[in-house]
Amino acid sequence: GVTVFTGKANCPNYAKAELLADYLQANLPDFKVHKITQHPDKWEQWLHDICETNGWEHRQSPIIWRELLDRGGKGLLLGGVNDFLEYAQRYYGITSMMLSEEMLDIAEENLQAYIEIEKEEEEIKSLNKPLQIWITSASAPTCYQLIPLLANGEVFGMTTEISIHLLDSDQFKEVLCGIVMEAEDMAFPLLHSISEHTEIHEAFIQADIIIVLDDVLLNHEVQSIGNYIREVSDICQVYAPLIEKNAKSEVRVISSGKTFVNLKAMMIMTYGPSIKTENVIAVATSWESAAKAMLARKLNMNAAGVKDVIVWGNITGCNYIDLSHAKLYGYDCAIWGPADFPHPVLNMIYDSEWIHSEFLSAQSSLNSRVSHCVGMLPAHAVATVLRYWYHGSPPGEIVSVGVFTEGQFCVPHGIVFSMPVRFQNGNWKVITELEISETTQEVLGRLAHELIQEKLIALREIKEMHPYGADEIIS
């Protein structure tokens, strides 16, 4: 059988019994010990429960019993420290000569060891907690394409489990249930759980990441831009307070979609003043990768070799695709160099007419291409940005992201503007050391003006809807 010792971690009597038990185990081949240490705060309840389960009467620390494994049934109660000392002397002729000062020292060591073990276990448990990811407008095709990318381990790493929460209105409940069933059937090893939610008050509970996919349907013949901006504002006015109330304090919010991605990020910050501005970003990667693909087609090369294309401004509105820092890697041309030798794009495209006419005028067709894609491109864009945010962007590479401005590149403070950033150690940083031409600076001024106008319209809508509390919201 096994002798079980359990007591308060800081109990000197438990220390005395434990030391004698260790001696017996070391010197007697058939004497086996199992120790259970309890925190002083939890001891009384634990003792009450174990005694009630076994029908024992015992009031103090430690409690010692024999588990008669070969006979089954409940253990045989030996009692407290004095009972055990008597038992050891009668059966084995061994006594404990430990002094009370020694007992107190060992009790103190026991308590410290217990606290450290408990802390380690808590840390291990927290590491094993799945990341809580909420996706709004989850019936959108982008969400369907995004789930496998998030669940296959490439975004957060092969040791991080995730729980996905799909949020949409009640009319899409059936669609959400279908997505949940399909994702469950795929049995992703890192997908801890996936669930659908149509009750808005449940939104964003314990969220680590929120991906906002809401879009407004544009039809300029029917509605004015002001009406669309009000629609976006209404959505964010619902989401932002719920994020503040239900999500974790360090929640990361990603604005994606085909319309008003900058404005959505801006209005979530406006209506949720406690949400950290550095934790809200708008995704520009779809436009970045579409531009890279267009250049690769022109140069008859692999798009993976095109780097550092910058998307400035209003991602889903008037943006500017800047090639002045773009580079080509692995491009087969007259200038030879090592595999990692970069060729500036503008030096390699000798047809400057193509850049100024076709490529720049193609930006409107790029917008159209990106806006009409069925979900694969934006899903990949969101997954890429999340991967960079958690694990860093490739060293030396430029990534374009819509962020809250603080005067960088002379862009006015307080709008969400797409600009070049670098991700490192779980944060992003604007690459302010990048040199830009006077022409680019003029373009940025015009793009900023459009976003300021958008913001002013949105704030005017807020004033109309909240005539008394508007100043507080705007500030």
Side-chain angles (χ1 to χ4, degrees):
V2 174
T3 307
V4 181
F5 291 76
T6 181
K8 283 192 289 188
N10 62 348
C11 170
N13 286 329
Y14 174 63
K16 187 170 188 174
E18 180 192 29
L19 206 74
L20 181 54
D22 287 346
Y23 177 83
L24 291 173
Q25 183 168 248
N27 290 282
L28 300 170
D30 296 327
F31 192 87
K32 297 283 181 287
V33 174
H34 178 62
K35 292 184 251 183
I36 305 169
T37 315
Q38 290 296 334
H39 192 281
D41 298 345
K42 299 174 186 170
W43 167 254
E44 293 297 335
Q45 186 60 49
W46 191 89
L47 180 63
H48 173 269
D49 293 346
I50 197 82
C51 287
E52 196 171 84
T53 304
N54 290 285
W56 293 333
E57 281 290 329
H58 193 81
R59 293 280 173 269
Q60 72 281 339
S61 168
I63 179 171
I64 302 159
W65 71 88
R66 294 269 292 154
E67 290 277 3
L68 305 173
L69 301 178
D70 52 338
R71 299 182 203 173
K74 67 178 185 180
L76 173 68
L77 179 66
L78 297 179
V81 65
N82 292 332
D83 301 303
F84 178 62
L85 294 178
E86 197 180 305
Y87 170 84
Q89 193 167 9
R90 189 182 329 136
Y91 283 92
Y92 306 111
I94 294 168
T95 57
S96 172
M97 299 300 291
M98 200 195 303
L99 303 172
S100 57
E101 201 173 307
E102 276 182 280
M103 287 160 58
L104 291 169
D105 287 346
I106 290 171
E108 179 61 28
E109 278 174 27
N110 277 349
L111 181 60
Q112 288 310 313
Y114 177 85
I115 289 166
E116 279 171 30
I117 289 164
E118 205 172 43
K119 192 178 167 191
E120 272 176 32
E121 283 175 358
E122 280 303 311
E123 281 173 7
I124 289 163
K125 273 184 201 167
S126 73
L127 287 173
N128 291 338
K129 274 183 190 164
L131 270 180
Q132 304 295 323
I133 303 169
W134 284 76
I135 305 173
T136 72
S137 250
S139 62
T142 300
C143 174
Y144 185 78
Q145 303 279 357
L146 183 58
I147 290 166
L149 300 179
L150 297 177
N152 69 10
E154 285 178 29
V155 175
F156 304 107
M158 298 308 291
T159 56
T160 305
E161 286 196 334
I162 63 169
S163 285
I164 296 176
H165 303 266
L166 308 176
L167 179 70
D168 214 321
S169 57
D170 202 47
Q171 70 189 94
F172 295 108
K173 191 177 176 72
E174 222 172 288
V175 176
L176 299 188
C177 290
I179 296 171
V180 166
M181 284 170 68
E182 197 170 340
E184 285 174 345
D185 288 346
M186 288 181 80
F188 293 105
L190 295 171
L191 184 58
H192 180 266
S193 64
I194 181 163
S195 51
E196 42 83 21
H197 304 263
T198 53
E199 296 289 335
I200 193 65
H201 65 271
E202 288 178 5
F204 316 128
I205 290 171
Q206 289 297 298
D208 292 292
I209 297 162
I210 296 167
I211 300 161
V212 181
L213 297 181
D214 297 69
D215 270 318
V216 295
L217 264 148
L218 297 181
N219 184 344
H220 294 295
E221 291 168 21
V222 179
Q223 287 195 54
S224 69
I225 190 77
N227 286 346
Y228 291 124
I229 289 174
R230 173 177 284 184
E231 219 177 301
V232 173
S233 191
D234 287 348
I235 292 164
C236 297
Q237 191 188 357
V238 172
Y239 287 166
L242 285 166
I243 294 171
E244 288 185 302
K245 181 183 166 205
N246 293 341
K248 290 182 186 161
S249 59
E250 288 295 328
V251 63
R252 296 174 180 191
V253 182
I254 287 186
S255 172
S256 181
K258 300 173 183 179
T259 58
F260 297 106
V261 293
N262 292 52
L263 185 65
K264 278 188 294 188
M266 182 74 246
M267 297 318 287
I268 282 167
M269 295 176 199
T270 306
Y271 284 119
S274 73
I275 302 166
K276 294 180 179 175
T277 53
E278 66 270 25
N279 282 1
V280 183
I281 62 176
V283 176
T285 322
S286 298
W287 280 260
E288 203 180 279
S289 53
K292 286 175 181 177
M294 193 172 174
L295 287 166
R297 281 193 294 273
K298 169 72 178 170
L299 294 161
N300 195 25
M301 66 175 288
N302 187 332
V306 185
K307 309 284 185 192
D308 300 345
V309 171
I310 301 171
V311 179
W312 296 96
N314 190 356
I315 297 162
T316 47
C318 283
N319 60 42
Y320 168 54
I321 313 264
D322 179 3
L323 303 183
S324 58
H325 299 274
K327 300 176 193 72
L328 306 174
Y329 290 84
Y331 179 53
D332 190 12
C333 64
I335 304 165
W336 281 40
D340 58 353
F341 179 76
H343 297 287
V345 164
L346 295 181
N347 292 1
M348 295 297 106
I349 299 178
Y350 304 107
D351 185 355
S352 61
E353 187 59 34
W354 180 84
I355 291 170
H356 292 109
S357 60
E358 271 188 62
F359 183 79
L360 293 177
S361 66
Q363 288 198 38
S364 58
S365 74
L366 266 184
N367 278 350
S368 172
R369 279 175 84 104
V370 173
S371 299
H372 288 95
C373 62
V374 291
M376 211 185 310
L377 179 60
H380 180 263
V382 170
T384 302
V385 167
L386 271 173
R387 187 173 78 247
Y388 291 167
W389 209 346
Y390 275 82
H391 299 293
S393 48
E397 273 189 40
I398 294 170
V399 184
S400 302
V401 172
V403 297
F404 187 76
T405 54
E406 293 176 349
Q408 305 97 327
F409 302 109
C410 301
V411 173
H413 184 280
I415 53 176
V416 171
F417 195 90
S418 182
M419 52 178 72
V421 306
R422 190 171 286 127
F423 288 92
Q424 204 171 3
N425 303 324
N427 304 305
W428 53 263
K429 189 174 180 293
V430 176
I431 309 171
T432 47
E433 64 273 19
L434 215 62
E435 287 183 22
I436 57 171
S437 66
E438 277 182 39
T439 315
T440 302
Q441 192 65 68
E442 281 173 29
V443 174
L444 299 194
R446 290 200 298 275
L447 298 177
H449 179 73
E450 185 202 51
L451 281 162
I452 290 165
Q453 292 306 309
E454 216 175 67
K455 182 180 175 181
L456 288 173
I457 295 169
L459 297 183
R460 195 162 63 237
E461 298 295 335
I462 291 174
K463 279 202 164 175
E464 282 177 20
M465 293 187 305
H466 306 273
Y468 303 109
D471 293 334
E472 193 180 314
I473 291 169
I474 291 164
S475 66

